[in-house]
Structure formats: structure tokens, C-alpha cells
Amino acid sequence: MDQLSVSPTGLPQPRVTRRTAVASVPLNLVFFGPPGAGKGTQADRFAARHRIPKISTGDMLRKAIQDGTRVGMLVRDTLKCGGLVSDDLIISLVAERLEHPDTADGFVLDGFPRTIPQAAALDAMLCDRGGITVVALVVHADEVVRRLAGRGRDDDEVYVIRERLSVYARETEPVLEFYRRRSAVAILDGNRPLDAVTESIEQAVVVRRKS
Ligand code: ADP
């Protein structure tokens, strides 16, 4: 009877402890910004510091390609050309991942949602799991190109970068407006050095939440 206590009626009751009370507000975060904004690095840092999983759809897709799975075969050409994979496919991958119990205290999403239908689907998935906080990193276009060109990933060729940036402007930027109407959104300057950005995220998400 570790997790349960017995009520006067004799029925087992969940034991409410301080820890579960505090942990009951999960840290559900979406890191948002153009390719090269530093989302992935900042998401890694935040997730490690707060012991919650980072869920990167780009990493999931690259792994599927590397492992030669059916999903990997389906998305390989899309990633190579800098397009977006279909909403249905990516939504089902994320929905499945969010069912894993390690997300109960929160998670950091990196690279999802990237379209309005993806954002709407995420809202539905989380309707009974607390709200979402969006951390949007704003970075100058020339800084983005400089960072991506130095990274050397397969889809970091100049013409693919250009395509990814235009897809971002067309499909993904409107998602921020979607969230500004319904969720907490922190818009932060991503041009600054990594540690300064990490600190500002911490301030915006954790310190603000406690106060
Ligand atoms: P970046 O943020 O540098 O563009 P990611 O690793 O997030 O890189 O994504 C790499 C590629 O994976 C994208 O260009 C796209 O083809 C695909 N992808 C990742 N997440 C999504 C998503 N949510 N919806 C559609 N396609 C996605």
C-alpha cells in the first residue's frame, strides 16, 4: 500500500503528498523559432536541468531514416529538400511519444508544432494535462544563415537552408500568433550568447511561474 491510504469508508484513496501537489503542475514547453535559432541546444539544456524529456521531431525523423524504418523511408526525401513531412505522420509520432510516462511532469518540444493543424492537434492531446508555455527565440536572418552554415548537417546546404527558412515564414510563423491568443508565450532574444539565452529562458519560465 505504498501509494494508497484507506479512507474512513474503507476504500483505498490516493495519498496526497506535498511532492505530488507541487509536481502536479507539469512543465509543458514548446521551444519555437526558425532553424538555427538555438532551440535544440536550449531545449537540451532546459530538459537536463529540470529532468524532463526533450522531444525533438527532427531527431526522431533523422533516427528513423538512419534505422531504415518505414517512416524513415517515407520522410527521407522531404528532409533532404527542406520541406515539411505530413501533419498526420508527425502528429501521430508526437502523440505516441507523449503517452510515454516520462512526460508526466512535463517535456520540452523542439521542432513541433510547425503548422497550425499540428498546434491544434497538440492542444487536443494536452487538454487534460495542464497548459503549454511557449518559448519563442527571435534571431536575425543573417545570424541564422551563419549558424546553420557552420553546422554541417545534410540539410544545411545553402539552397536547402533557404527553402527551410521560407517554409518557416510561410507555415510556422503563423503558429506563434495562434499561441499568442491562447497560451503563455515568452518571446526572447536568441541573438545573444548561449548562456545568456539559457538564463533568460530560466527567468521567463521558472522564475515567473514561481512568483
Ligand atoms: P531545424 O529546426 O534546423 O529546421 P529540425 O531538426 O527541427 O531542424 O527538422 C529537420 C527537418 O525535419 C525539417 O526540415 C522537416 O523536414 C522535418 N520536421 C521536423 N519536425 C517537423 C514537423 N513538426 N513537421 C513537419 N516536418 C518536420
Side-chain angles (χ1 to χ4, degrees):
M1 291 284 277
D2 217 359
Q3 297 300 318
L4 297 172
S5 58
V6 178
S7 77
T9 59
L11 293 172
Q13 298 279 304
R15 187 185 294 155
V16 180
T17 63
R18 252 184 85 73
R19 197 191 166 282
T20 48
V22 171
S24 69
V25 182
L27 268 174
N28 299 338
L29 295 180
V30 167
F31 277 32
F32 192 89
K39 299 186 297 291
T41 308
Q42 297 297 343
D44 273 334
R45 289 181 169 196
F46 191 93
R49 185 162 179 171
H50 295 279
R51 296 164 195 266
I52 52 178
K54 173 184 108 157
I55 302 173
S56 158
T57 44
D59 287 350
M60 288 164 86
L61 296 173
R62 281 185 289 276
K63 178 158 192 321
I65 295 172
Q66 211 170 34
D67 293 349
T69 65
R70 201 179 70 83
V71 167
M73 309 279 203
L74 283 172
V75 304
R76 191 177 49 198
D77 290 344
T78 308
L79 262 76
K80 200 170 70 189
C81 299
L84 291 185
V85 311
S86 80
D87 284 338
D88 284 354
L89 188 149
I90 204 84
I91 288 167
S92 64
L93 282 182
V94 171
E96 205 173 290
R97 179 64 185 86
L98 287 177
E99 274 175 24
H100 199 282
D102 69 345
T103 63
D105 290 340
F107 50 81
V108 181
L109 275 170
D110 162 26
F112 182 96
R114 259 177 156 95
T115 64
I116 300 277
Q118 292 178 19
L122 181 64
D123 260 14
M125 288 174 219
L126 298 177
C127 65
D128 56 353
R129 295 179 53 168
I132 302 173
T133 300
V134 178
V135 171
L137 299 178
V138 179
V139 187
H140 301 311
D142 49 352
E143 176 67 10
V144 161
V145 175
R146 197 183 65 75
R147 289 184 188 178
L148 292 179
R151 196 165 69 171
R153 214 168 69 189
D154 275 359
D155 57 352
D156 287 340
E157 302 274 353
V158 170
Y159 64 95
V160 184
I161 291 175
R162 216 172 283 144
E163 173 62 13
R164 280 160 54 215
L165 288 173
S166 90
V167 169
Y168 177 81
R170 194 173 62 237
E171 306 280 347
T172 308
E173 234 162 30
V175 174
L176 193 55
E177 204 42 49
F178 172 96
Y179 279 125
R180 286 170 78 127
R181 291 161 198 269
R182 67 185 74 209
S183 296
V185 177
I187 298 186
L188 304 173
D189 179 3
N191 296 290
R192 294 168 301 162
L194 277 181
D195 289 348
V197 178
T198 304
E199 189 47 39
S200 71
I201 295 173
E202 199 64 24
Q203 285 286 330
V205 176
V206 181
V207 177
R208 195 192 282 172
R209 207 165 108 110
K210 282 184 187 150
S211 58

